[in-house]
Amino acid sequence: MSFVITQSCCSDAGCVSVCPVNCIHPTPEERGFGSSDILHIDPEACIDCGACADACPVNAIFPADNLAERDKIFIEINADYYKNNPDISSGWTDVVYPEIPRLPAGLRVAVVGTGPSGGYALRTVLNRTSAAVTVIDKLPTPGGLVRAGVAPDHPSTKDVMRTFDILYRDPKVTMATNVEIGDDVDAGQITPAELAEHFDAVFYAVGASQSRRLGIEGEDLPGSTSATELVAWYNAVPGAGGPLPLVDPAATSTGRAVIVGTGNVALDVARILVSPPELLATTDIADRALELLREQNIHEVVLLGRRGQDAAAYTAAEFRALSVIPGVEVVVHDEADGPLPEFAPTADPADRRIVFLFHSAPVRAEGSDRLESVIVRRGDREYPIAADLLVRSIGYRSAPIGGLPFDEDSGRFPNIDGRMVDDDGAVIPGAYVLGWAGRGSTGGIGANKLQAISTVEKFIDDVVQGRVERTTTAPDAFDRLLRKRHRKVVGYRGVRAIDRRERARGEQQGRPRVKFTELGDMLAAARRRPF
Ligand code: NAP
């Protein structure tokens, strides 16, 4: 019997480093790491010690004889990886301890952003240095895309936040959430220049919170939105989304949504739109979304892939997961030419389907005062698909931050291997950028770990080489600046208070939590005030 890695694997390789017999692959040093769907346990080499299951931050590893029915397929998937990669060898390994650098005392570091990149950067700074770290986030609740992006029906993926929460309790860490970085001092923002003045180094792990645009006619019609908005809305991000185009159930005449893109985000949105509401009601989906999804009539989701299925952007595990949604049929059209299948308006809510339409790109959205159809090009012909909702799910871009360089074309903060550079390409000493903010919206949670480690190592090297200018401000000067600028800073106790309150609300309904959707309610919970 061996252990088996299942669908929610986040590939952060925490399991690889604790495995005494090196039987989990690909390792971060091996080909395929980062692009592999999940990591795999070699069933022939596993000694069944369970160290990997204990280390897994997202509860994705189970003994083979203790798998849920739907996960049994992963026994074969783990084993097949070794059949297809016979050159990979497992076995006992020597432990290699990293060299401990000699660093000056009293380093002060800020990490902006509490998503996976910020979390992994914080962990590495704490592991490798004795620096004091101030963790900043613009929302009162930490988590970045773990809270605001991971689909509500993927609860175990969110468990990664527990490993970061432990770090926030370190006495060297100070949390300051509900704090925005930017150049609008009158609005209470802290400027990048002020951060640079008060810290020896600043790590910007601010993610990518905006949607890329299609650039087609009709893209802004009511009824057309972005996955970024839709996901933030159903994940209860304050101020996101609503009122959504599908808000009026009477307006749903075709019962169909069209999603552009075939990445994992597109699949998340498709699943949420057609999943039975009673299943979603057991998750932490925002109440505002649950109510609307119960009422609305979208029961067919068409995903458009501009290339063929062999070039689809989803990962195999996420594609497989579609087939286990109760009552939902998955249909794939991968013909490169020929007419579209029939897409006449259908209002039969019993007919829940997810349809992949490959070799098909959107040309324009049409409708008199709201979306009525999406015109799709296939080969050299155009076809209309009647729809109530159009969602573009074609990738994310970062929101610029006043006072920091920004590349408008790519939607990223310019950097060389994590070191931020100015408009002339010169390295800005003490400024680092990581995660989606630096490399664009590619890779799941675990992909950020290695990058965070390597960026923190660059910072350490910069300190050792004297390339970082030390702050001359007093240790409490930043705290004083913060409180003077902005009276609603939330610290770790406030963060915990919000968390407890949301969980308590959830407990009453048999759900993991009921999230707050209004900033004011979050702040009241942080201060333990009645609403
Ligand atoms: P993505 O994986 O990059 O997919 C983007 C999709 O949009 C692709 O199908 C792309 O097609 C298409 N596209 C881009 N521009 C287009 C255009 N102008 N017209 C038509 N189609 C266009 O992005 P994502 O889904 O936002 O995901 C971002 C990252 O998060 C990915 O690495 C993903 O795996 C990860 N993620 C993981 C999970 C999970 O593990 N469960 C969940 C969510 C997200 P082409 O390929 O033809 O360019």
Side-chain angles (χ1 to χ4, degrees), residues 260 262-265 268 306-307 313 318 393-394 396 436 441-443:
V260 183
T262 59
N264 281 342
V265 171
D268 281 348
R306 58 182 170 181
R307 300 186 282 159
E318 293 303 320
S393 181
I394 58 170
Y396 292 63
W436 282 12
S441 59
T442 58

Side-chain angles (χ1 to χ4, degrees), residues 336-403:
D337 44 32
L340 282 192
E342 183 64 18
F343 279 112
T346 159
D348 183 357
D351 191 13
R352 289 184 170 250
R353 297 203 300 168
I354 296 177
V355 180
F356 286 87
L357 200 55
F358 289 102
H359 309 280
S360 304
V363 179
R364 65 184 174 280
E366 290 184 347
S368 44
D369 53 3
R370 58 167 288 123
L371 178 83
E372 287 165 18
S373 61
V374 181
I375 310 301
V376 170
R377 181 178 297 120
R378 188 176 167 92
D380 54 5
R381 289 192 57 190
E382 292 182 1
Y383 302 88
I385 300 181
D388 303 310
L389 179 66
L390 170 63
V391 184
R392 59 180 188 279
S393 181
I394 58 170
Y396 292 63
R397 44 183 289 127
S398 293
I401 291 179

